[in-house]
Every structure is written in C-alpha cells, then in structure tokens.
Amino acid sequence: MLELVKKNIHMNRWKGYATSQITLDDDFIVPDSMDDVDQIILSSGDITIDSVKVQTERVMVRGKLDFMNLFRGAEGGLQTLSGNINFEEPINVPGLDEKDYVQLGWDLEDLNTGLINSRKLSVKSIVSLKVKVETASDINAAVEVDTGGTAIDVPMVETLRRNLDVASIALRHKDTFRIKDTVTLSGNKPNIDHILWTEMKLRGVSLRPMDGKMMLDGEQLVFVIYQGEGEGAPIQWVEESIPFSGELSVPDMTEDMVPLVTVHIIHKDIEAKPDADGEMREMDMDSVLELDMKLYKEENMELLSDIYSTNRELTLQTEEALFDKILTKNMSRCKVVEKISLDQADRILQICHSEGTVKIDDTEIKEDGLHVEGVLELRILYMTSDDAQPIQSTVEDIPFHFLIEAPGINEQTVCQLNPGLEQLSAVMMGGGTVEVKATISLDLLALQPIRERIITNALESPMDLNNLQKLPGIVGYIVQPEDSLWNIAKKFHTTIDTIIATNGLTDKSVRPGDRLILVKELA
C-alpha cells in the first residue's frame, strides 16, 4: 500500500490593506490655577492605542491623543497645559475574518493648537490609521513516499524531488522593555524649581535575535525645559543622550530567524528629585518600550515533484500552492543634508533643541529596487533676544528620496518597511541659516510569493498488463530538446538507474541528439 508522507507548512498570506483618517477636535479650558494664555510656544502629541478588536469585515480601534502645550502667560512666565482626546474608530476591511491577524500602524499627521481666548484653547489633529491583514494558510505538501506492505506486493516507485527555499512566520511576540536612569544637572545649571516641558525620542535602535532571547540596544534622547530656582531665574534646558541595552526572554526564538520589529514608547515620565545634598539637581527618567516582533524562519525543503511506478498505475492529485521566499532583508541609511532659513534670524541667540519624525509618503517598485519618498518633519527650538518671547520654535518639512536595492523585486513582491531616525543635528550658520544633517534608517523586508504545484495525493491501482505488453521490450531513442532522463524513463516504463547502467552514462544529464537504448522494466 502506497502512502504519501506530508509536511505541514504554516504560511501567512497577505490579505489586504485599509487606511482611515480621523480628525480629532476639542476645546480645553485653562485651569484657574494657571495664568491667561498670551502665546502658544510649543505643541506636541502622542497617539496611544488602547485596543484593536477584529470583527467581521471591520476593525474597531480605540485610543487617545495625549497632547502637551507650552505657553507664555499674560504675566510673562511659561506654563504647560496637557490633556487628551479619546477616539473610537471603525475601519472597514472587506473580506476580513475574525481569525485573521491584524497589524495596526498609525501616524499623527497634524497637530494644531489655537487660542479661542485667553482662557480657552482649541486642539485639532489628523490621525492616520493603517491596517494590514494576514490570514493563516496551512499547506500539506508531499515530501516522501511510504510503500509499506510485504516484499510481494510492494509498489516499485520512482520519485523526483526538488528543493525549495521557504520563509514562514515562525514567531509572533509582543513584549515591553523598561529604561530607568537618572539625569544630573551640570555645574553651570541652576537648581530646578519645576519642569515645564519633556520629550523622549528613540535613536538608532537595533535588534538581534539569539537563541531564546532578543538583544536590543540604542539611545534615548531626553530633552527637558525647566524653570530655574530663585526669583528672576532664567528658563533652562537639558538635553541628554542615554544609551541602553538589554535582552528580552523569548524561549522559542533562534539565532537564524529574520526579525521585523516595530518599537514604540508607550510610557514616559520625568520627575525632578533632590540630590544627596537635598538640592533639586536630579531627574528620574522612566520609560517603557513596546516591541511588536514578527520573526521569519527560512527553510530549505525537499518536495516531491513527480511519482510513477513500474508495477502499479498511479494517479496523482495536485494543487497550486503559494509559498513565500525572503527576497531581501535590507537595512538602508539615507543621508539628508539641507540648509534652511529661519524667520526672525536677527533675534536668534542659539538653537537649543531639534527633533524630527520620518514620514513615508510613497513607495514604488521599480526594476532596480524600492523607491521611497518621504519627508523629515523637523522641529527646531531656539532662544531669542526678545525677553518677552525668550523661546520660539519652527517646524520645517525636508523632503527626501532613496532607492533601496532589492534585486528581483516586482509588482508581486510584498514589502514591509520600517522607517526610523538614527542621527539628527541642526547647527546655526551665518545669515540666519541652519544646516540640518540627518541619517534616516529604512528597514525593508521583502517577501516574494512563489507559486508551486504540489502533490497532495496518489491513487494506486493494479498495472494494466495489456498496455504494458504493447510497449516494446527494448527500443532505440534519440533525445529531444525538451527531454530529461526522468520523463524518458517514465514514458518508456523504466528507471533512470537502468538507463544509466544500460548506456554507460556517468551522470543524469543528457543532451538533444544523444542516442539511448531503453529497456522496459518488467512488472
């Protein structure tokens, strides 16, 4: 009795994409404990996703916009007003099933804070939500033949095999990594009266899978504006780069897996505290990173391409299967150098901080790779000579384009791209010009779908002796251009080994025009 030995291959098929833009708009009353608002100096916001619920043909996303505004009060001092706007957004995804895997990405496209009056602010923003859907697909492909039975009735089977490189998702894992550190003021800085503004950004995060763990390292940029201690003390700022490294336990991870990981800061807090002398000269920094890990495993598989028997009739059942192959895993770096002119250049004393966000506008697959177009959204904070407006900021968009090399890429290639910012500097030049230098990281994982016909079943029946007797016992044959030893042996009811032995061949290759003696195998 002939049976096929099959291997289950767990694949994830890309099922679809969906995007949604939502506008958040709300008004906020300035608390009685704060001064009247004279001018808004800085605004920033972060999106926090609370839940993603997969339903039939739609995804329900719940989250909030956390915003912070630094403003100059009517009395001349700086104060901070923060708050949040909750949202719940259904995103229609045709064909989505509750068992599908959904990956959500988001961008804060725009954030504007306006003055309605001195006691009321208007906060508006546009949030883009991007849904990517994958569905599980299990493929059972024949990899071996088990003939079984006794020596009398064992089918005499010939097999043709082929090797295939297959990439499948081996592991999905979400985890968090905590960073805690203490920032100490330098000797030329006054003590902290109270903190006005905080920012935390990631730079140069790298991840490396190891057996049983994920290694990570990078830098966290911390920027703080604070009010100095004492009457008439000037506004101060501190900027520190805090390196971090560590590992996350992931028991099923192996070193040879190919990672695609997104990293977000989901919690951040900076609090002033006294030092050993009791003076407010230290700040405790606490942040939590969320890592959404997807790891692929490459495997070289040997599949059965064809089967026939010299003493049985075999009817093969086949179907077309779609496999993934890793076309490229490419970490590219795009250098950006730009000179921009600032308004009020004659009043700028110095640049005290710059931060940027990478936004991808478009990607296009071409013969030589993936063309990426986007902008570096740059915000520059600077000190001015105007005592009434000592801190000002400006936002500039710097376009960039880059080619990520990916040989063999085509319209069927599935590209997964994670952008990041590794380095950024903004230096004041002469004439009110600022020179901006940045390094943008573009982490690309490109999967190439491959269609392959696989054997799913083989039906066995007794050999038709009448048809067998019609075949000549021995025949001379001239090899044709489309021939291989396999199809010649199958057609003339013999085996490759018999053809090689009969004709004194040294290997399994033949050329058009070769003359062969073919001897029929007896059932």
Side-chain angles (χ1 to χ4, degrees):
M1 182 67 179
L2 180 146
E3 290 187 2
L4 296 181
V5 179
K6 300 177 183 179
K7 182 170 183 177
N8 180 269
I9 308 167
H10 182 75
M11 310 291 291
N12 278 74
R13 299 260 61 80
W14 287 98
K15 194 171 184 179
Y17 300 85
T19 60
S20 178
Q21 270 197 343
I22 57 176
T23 300
L24 303 180
D25 187 354
D26 206 348
D27 297 339
F28 291 85
I29 303 297
V30 179
D32 293 339
S33 58
M34 291 185 173
D35 293 343
D36 289 353
V37 179
D38 184 66
Q39 181 191 24
I40 296 171
I41 297 172
L42 281 175
S43 296
S44 73
D46 291 304
I47 298 297
T48 301
I49 301 299
D50 296 324
S51 66
V52 179
K53 292 185 179 180
V54 180
Q55 303 172 349
T56 302
E57 298 214 330
R58 77 171 186 173
V59 177
M60 184 64 70
V61 180
R62 293 182 60 190
K64 62 181 178 178
L65 165 68
D66 293 306
F67 67 86
M68 185 165 58
N69 293 303
L70 180 67
F71 67 88
R72 182 167 56 85
E75 302 297 323
L78 297 183
Q79 293 182 305
T80 303
L81 174 66
S82 58
N84 60 70
I85 303 175
N86 295 314
F87 63 86
E88 184 171 358
E89 178 72 5
I91 304 174
N92 294 323
V93 186
L96 178 66
D97 189 85
E98 291 185 13
K99 296 180 181 179
D100 291 338
Y101 177 81
V102 169
Q103 184 177 10
L104 179 71
W106 59 90
D107 283 317
L108 183 59
E109 299 289 349
D110 196 14
L111 175 65
N112 287 306
T113 304
L115 275 175
I116 298 175
N117 56 54
S118 63
R119 305 301 301 173
K120 193 173 185 180
L121 304 181
S122 170
V123 178
K124 297 180 180 180
S125 70
I126 297 174
V127 179
S128 291
L129 301 173
K130 304 172 185 178
V131 172
K132 296 181 180 179
V133 181
E134 295 173 88
T135 188
S137 172
D138 286 310
I139 299 170
N140 287 307
V143 295
E144 189 54 85
V145 176
D146 182 7
T147 55
T150 66
I152 298 176
D153 62 1
V154 169
M156 306 299 292
V157 175
E158 296 295 308
T159 58
L160 179 65
R161 294 177 171 84
R162 71 187 186 278
N163 288 311
L164 186 67
D165 290 327
V166 174
S168 59
I169 296 177
L171 181 65
R172 292 187 191 272
H173 185 73
K174 278 191 176 183
D175 212 333
T176 57
F177 183 79
R178 192 167 208 138
I179 304 171
K180 298 188 76 171
D181 210 328
T182 299
V183 177
T184 302
L185 299 182
S186 59
N188 62 342
K189 295 284 187 181
N191 293 352
I192 302 169
D193 184 82
H194 60 277
I195 293 175
L196 293 167
W197 185 266
T198 62
E199 286 182 11
M200 289 187 190
K201 298 288 183 179
L202 296 175
R203 291 285 186 272
V205 178
S206 65
L207 300 112
R208 187 174 76 259
M210 302 288 288
D211 291 343
K213 57 188 176 183
M214 175 69 85
M215 309 296 296
L216 75 159
D217 60 73
E219 291 182 330
Q220 185 155 45
L221 267 63
V222 178
F223 177 69
V224 177
I225 300 175
Y226 73 91
Q227 176 65 57
E229 195 175 66
E231 188 175 350
I235 299 297
Q236 299 289 324
W237 73 91
V238 177
E239 189 167 30
E240 291 283 343
S241 177
I242 300 173
F244 64 86
S245 63
E247 62 183 53
L248 295 171
S249 176
V250 189
D252 296 328
M253 186 174 292
T254 58
E255 187 175 354
D256 58 348
M257 289 182 180
V258 179
L260 187 72
V261 184
T262 57
V263 185
H264 296 286
I265 302 176
I266 60 171
H267 167 78
K268 49 190 175 182
D269 183 56
I270 297 179
E271 185 177 349
K273 71 169 188 176
D275 62 10
D277 297 326
E279 297 184 329
M280 301 295 285
R281 300 193 59 80
E282 292 185 350
M283 290 177 284
D284 274 346
M285 187 275 293
D286 183 15
S287 66
V288 178
L289 312 184
E290 182 183 68
L291 292 85
D292 189 351
M293 296 177 259
K294 182 163 61 173
L295 292 106
Y296 290 82
K297 181 107 174 172
E298 288 186 289
E299 182 180 0
N300 183 267
M301 296 184 55
E302 189 177 66
L303 302 180
L304 288 180
S305 290
D306 198 6
I307 314 170
Y308 72 91
S309 174
T310 56
N311 64 347
R312 295 286 194 279
E313 295 284 353
L314 297 182
T315 303
L316 302 184
Q317 295 178 348
T318 66
E319 65 179 47
E320 193 176 68
L322 195 62
F323 297 90
D324 283 331
K325 177 181 179 180
I326 294 181
L327 185 66
T328 185
K329 178 69 166 71
N330 193 334
M331 173 63 85
S332 300
R333 289 171 176 82
C334 172
K335 304 285 187 181
V336 175
V337 179
E338 189 79 15
K339 291 183 179 180
I340 58 177
S341 297
L342 298 183
D343 296 334
Q344 303 177 332
D346 56 329
R347 296 164 50 199
I348 297 175
L349 295 177
Q350 68 179 115
I351 293 174
C352 56
H353 177 59
S354 61
E355 63 98 0
T357 303
V358 179
K359 295 184 177 180
I360 303 299
D361 291 332
D362 187 40
T363 59
E364 184 179 2
I365 292 175
K366 294 189 176 180
E367 289 183 4
D368 48 357
L370 184 69
H371 288 238
V372 181
E373 292 188 359
V375 296
L376 172 62
E377 189 177 87
L378 174 71
R379 188 174 69 189
I380 297 175
L381 190 68
Y382 55 89
M383 303 294 291
T384 76
S385 58
D386 187 347
D387 292 338
Q389 301 179 14
I391 297 179
Q392 293 294 310
S393 68
T394 184
V395 176
E396 303 285 340
D397 284 341
I398 301 175
F400 70 89
H401 61 274
F402 191 78
L403 168 65
I404 303 176
E405 294 184 1
I409 196 170
N410 58 36
E411 293 299 326
Q412 283 71 50
T413 306
V414 177
C415 295
Q416 302 175 73
L417 182 64
N418 280 339
L421 187 59
E422 289 196 352
Q423 296 177 353
L424 175 66
S425 67
V427 179
M428 200 73 195
M429 311 292 284
T433 301
V434 176
E435 184 179 60
V436 179
K437 293 183 178 180
T439 301
I440 296 169
S441 62
L442 299 167
D443 185 10
L444 171 66
L445 176 63
L447 299 176
Q448 188 63 42
I450 302 172
R451 295 187 181 276
E452 293 281 341
R453 187 152 292 278
I454 61 172
I455 298 172
T456 57
N457 201 6
L459 303 178
E460 177 188 351
S461 60
M463 176 65 68
D464 189 335
L465 297 180
N466 290 329
N467 288 337
L468 180 61
Q469 289 172 357
K470 292 178 183 178
L471 292 174
I474 185 169
V475 66
Y477 184 75
I478 299 175
V479 177
Q480 301 301 304
E482 69 277 6
D483 279 339
S484 66
L485 274 186
W486 173 264
N487 58 37
I488 293 172
K490 184 177 181 180
K491 179 179 179 181
F492 288 93
H493 198 76
T494 185
T495 68
I496 290 177
D497 290 341
T498 300
I499 295 175
I500 289 175
T502 303
N503 293 273
L505 302 180
T506 58
D507 56 36
K508 296 183 179 181
S509 61
V510 290
R511 295 183 299 274
D514 286 351
R515 297 175 182 273
L516 301 175
I517 300 297
L518 306 177
V519 179
K520 178 177 66 175
E521 291 283 328
L522 298 177

